[in-house]
Amino acid sequence: MSGPLPHNGAIPASATNRRTFLRQAALAGTGCVAHVWLNAACAPRRQRQAWTAPVNPVVSTTPFARLEAVGPDAWAVISTPTGGDRTTFANGGIVAGRSGVVVFEGFYRDAGARWLAEEARRLTGRWPTHVVLSHYHVDHASGLPGYAQDAGLPRVHCTDITRRLALGGTPVAPARSAALERAFADVVVTSSREVSTIDLGNRVLQLMPFAGHTASDLTLHDEDAGLVWSGDLVWYRMFPNYVDADPRALAASVQQLATRLSHARAVLVPGHGGLVRASAMTEYRALLDHVEAVARAGHAAGTPAQAAAASFAVPPALGEWMASRVSVERAMQAWYRVLGTP
């Protein structure tokens, strides 16, 4: 969106849609699920549809997500949660090689992981052999048990921080906790500081650790194919979620990821929204820079974070962004924590 946020924190879509999204946000709590609902409530239907519009050949479509072909034996999951179905909720993907199949993300529900595993088998002839989790938030990790089959689960790759926080996350329920404990039984703990790899025979994937969206964010890279899965370090046309963010680390991580999109054909699959290429990444970085500039100016002037958020506007040159008042306030609060309360 451009211009200051309206007093009620939303650009009126229809009143019915806004009530629906706000009700969903209240049910979802304070994480990324609620964040998406709150920001979607700010946008008209046209903008929500453009947010996840396909840009590559689509090989599978469901009410909750679709698969787009993004490279040789590689597909991106683009989730479409604003229709109301939370089965996946976050984006993800499949990358196949001679000796294995990697899937990215565990999704919100077991059915989301099960769906992606079945799609992997349909497209490649194999059930996933590896799962990479970007971070611990429920829309990326809670469905992990859905990858199980009689022979067990694929090997899970995540950082120790992600594993610990996913197991201790909400909603707290004995059945969920037990299922996640089983799912994490065969886990490869990836360093939060060093790059690791998954060798699929004819292609080698890199797992690159970052931080910023959370204390530990893991990204997936196929450098030869020019493909990156970023998790929630990157958002497309929706204001990013700062609820657990370190904004300085986020800016640094995004800058490093941007260098990997310098090739004209390079594609980044964000945590939410449609596919990102170099031009969209430039706009996203500019948005983060603008958030920082507003926060620093407000902090230096002794303006409370809430007041700084009230005057926030996305520059029109950056295009339309779905942004709620709550989301902007969280961003300002995150920056004020870093800068120190004035």
Side-chain angles (χ1 to χ4, degrees), residues 133-134 157-164 184 187-192 209 216-218:
L133 295 183
S134 66
H157 298 257
C158 67
T159 68
D160 185 58
I161 294 171
T162 290
R163 181 183 185 277
R164 174 172 54 82
F184 279 111
V187 64
V188 177
V189 175
T190 301
S191 171
S192 60
S216 183
D217 300 290
L218 194 61

Side-chain angles (χ1 to χ4, degrees), residues 24 43 79 104 113 140 186 194 220 225 237 242 274 276-277 320:
Q24 293 280 8
S79 288
F104 190 74
H140 297 258
D186 188 16
E194 298 177 358
L220 177 67
R237 296 295 186 184
Y242 282 80
V276 169
R277 294 187 184 272
E320 293 184 311

